[in-house]
Structure formats: structure tokens, C-alpha cells
Amino acid sequence: MRSARTGGPVARRTATEHGGDRGRMYRGREGQWTWVAHRATDVIIILFLFAHVVDTAVIGWGPNAYDKVIAVYRNPGVGFLELVLVACVIFHALNGVRIMIVDFWPKATLWYRQLAYGTIGLFVASMIPITIVMGNRIIQEIRG
């Protein structure tokens, strides 16, 4: 195919090159996925804070009402959600430190990928003992 204006060849995109008519989906890299995880953990933490304010406000209805609400936290499902909350807080904090390093030390952008994987490594390393401790408590609650 030739360009009408210049008479030279025109670049032509074929459907098979780019996965059909829709093109290729952006697969993301460390920056995109850490951004998504940071925002998701932020939302989860805020939802917990809202629930915490509500369950603490129940004390206004008397100690019996408060004790009933707090008894819900002995449920193994809620114990699992607490483990998820701890994971969110730890990831959010570690990723926040990584973001501050990149923001305040411009040369850190040269090691962006290493910093992202370092953050994930620290997160996994810190969650192993926490999961063991909290997981044992959840299992004991399930067994009765």
C-alpha cells in the first residue's frame, strides 16, 4: 500500500500482529501493579476504620450491646479478615516507604524494579510469622 500524499509505503497493522481488532491489552509492570495494590489496601484500611468507629460507638448503648458486638470478633471468618487487614496495613506501609524513597531521592528511579520487588519480599517475609501466629488462633477457633 502506498501513501497518497508521498507515494511511499504506508505502515499497515494486521489483525494477527496485535491480537485481533481490539489491539493488545496493556499488561502492566511493577509500577502499575504496586499502584493498584496501594489503592486497594487503602480502601480496605478505610473500610476497617469505619467499622471500628461504628463498633466502638456501640458502647453508647450500654455494655451488653458492646459485648455482643465484640463477640462477633471471635468468629474465625472475622479472624481471617483481621489477617487480611494486617497484610493490607503492612503492604501499604512498606509500599509507602518505597514511594517516599522514590519521591525524595530521584536517583532511586534507576532501581525502581528492585525497590518494588524488595518491597514485596519484605512484605512476604514479614507476613510468614504473622500468618503462623494468627492462623493458629483462627484454626483453634474453628476446632472449638
Side-chain angles (χ1 to χ4, degrees), residues 10-124:
V10 173
R12 190 171 149 204
R13 185 174 118 174
T14 62
T16 58
E17 278 180 349
H18 298 287
D21 293 337
R22 291 184 263 164
R24 283 196 318 200
M25 183 179 116
Y26 176 64
R27 290 185 178 89
R29 301 285 309 204
E30 297 80 10
Q32 177 188 7
W33 294 116
T34 55
W35 181 87
V36 168
H38 199 75
R39 296 305 176 261
T41 57
D42 190 21
V43 169
I44 291 168
I45 292 166
I46 293 209
L47 289 174
F48 167 77
L49 287 174
F50 175 73
H52 180 65
V53 167
V54 169
D55 69 23
T56 303
V58 172
I59 194 78
W61 291 324
N64 289 335
Y66 182 74
D67 289 340
K68 287 179 184 177
V69 170
I70 296 303
V72 172
Y73 290 117
R74 292 186 189 94
N75 182 326
V78 175
F80 175 74
L81 291 176
E82 288 175 342
L83 179 61
V84 170
L85 174 67
V86 169
C88 288
V89 169
I90 290 174
F91 178 81
H92 197 80
L94 291 172
N95 195 49
V97 170
R98 181 191 61 82
I99 290 168
M100 287 189 294
I101 289 170
V102 171
D103 283 349
F104 292 116
W105 187 33
K107 290 193 184 252
T109 57
L110 299 173
W111 298 294
Y112 193 85
R113 181 179 291 173
Q114 292 86 345
L115 286 169
Y117 285 121
T119 300
I120 294 167
L122 283 172
F123 168 72
V124 170

Side-chain angles (χ1 to χ4, degrees), residues 123-134:
F123 168 72
V124 170
S126 63
M127 281 307 297
I128 290 171
I130 292 169
T131 303
I132 290 170
V133 170
M134 291 183 77

